[in-house]
Amino acid sequence: MQTNAGLGRYSAGMQGLHEEIEAFHAKIHADGKEMSNRRAAIQCITRIITAEFPGVRVEYFGSTLTGLLLPASDIDVVVVVDSHSGPAAWLRGCFAALRRHSEVRFTEVVTHAKVPLLKLVDVATGMKLDLSCASMSNNNPPQGVANSNWIISAISRYPLLPKLVIVVKDLHEVYRRGVSSYTVNLMAISFFQHQATGSNLGSLLLQFFQYYGKDFDFDKQAIIVTGNGAIISKSDMKRRLGFVEMSTSLSIQDPVEVARDAAAPSHRGMEALKRAFREAHDALQRAVDRSTQAGDSVSFLEVIFDYNKRSCYLR
């Protein structure tokens, strides 16, 4: 995406980076049209689906619910159904029904994945949606909704988290290698539980990149975020929690489904993301040092976004 991170002139050094992160976060969330379009797209797909399938419930989750979104973020929608045919079969029927409606168009049908999806676009707003389904076999919310609600509760404890995460997620978009936004959110929460010091956002961003790019041992350590959180060995995680499968890279206990490794789906992309964090730390630190010495400001965020774009294309 176009970050337009350089939003004006800032102070030199770390204070300037803090000011730019504040401005970047404010810019992304200042446009009410973004959320208005998202609400309109959700209302449209809800109206169509409930008309075609009376009795189902349509909910949304992910970054649209938590507010940790970028303009390019898809809208995650789940249809709660009373069906025993399985999600893939139900979604195939949904696909057949929705094809009759010109308000939406499909971009991809993914029915053979672990989580089957219909990818579609709301024609009126251009908003992209990922549509999945879940069973209404109990009164608990679907897992994605429950996970998002847990993230919202964590944000209330760490109010600086959204401003830090929005930069990390924008870098993640540049350097994406299959690491889920949910995993990135949990990494940020653990960082605030154990590593974050001070309230300067520039310093916190550098601390985050240092921790996950250089210090954290992905092979041996595992993360718990429930309660006050903990960093334990992977062997302890497996023994105490009875994990059947653990990621060969980062492991994070899911705070909602506690017997699940929330980072397992992201293991293929973790080495690339770790390298991106390490290189972003070094590029950003050099920019801050140069700015401090010169007594002048630069667009610090463009330094890391542009650096990692170039690195992506070279690898």
Side-chain angles (χ1 to χ4, degrees), residues 40-113:
I42 292 168
Q43 289 168 1
C44 177
I45 197 68
T46 300
R47 174 177 52 78
I48 294 172
I49 290 176
T50 53
E52 290 283 355
F53 303 96
V56 304
R57 189 172 78 250
V58 181
E59 300 188 39
Y60 66 96
F61 61 99
S63 61
T64 303
L65 182 58
T66 64
L68 301 176
L69 58 86
L70 297 168
S73 301
D74 295 347
I75 303 172
D76 295 305
V77 177
V78 59
V79 184
V80 185
V81 302
D82 186 11
S83 171
H84 301 289
S85 61
W90 190 90
L91 285 171
R92 282 193 288 269
C94 183
F95 171 69
L98 266 60
R99 287 183 68 184
R100 298 193 293 267
H101 295 266
S102 61
E103 299 98 316
V104 297
R105 61 178 174 82
F106 289 91
T107 58
E108 193 174 357
V109 180
V110 187
T111 56
H112 296 293

Side-chain angles (χ1 to χ4, degrees), residues 8 23 37 62 66 89 96 125 166-167 173 178 184 188 208 235 245-246 256 302:
N37 283 341
T66 64
T125 63
I166 207 69
V167 176
E173 286 295 315
V184 173
F208 180 92
S235 58
E245 292 185 35
M246 293 186 70
V256 176
E302 286 292 0

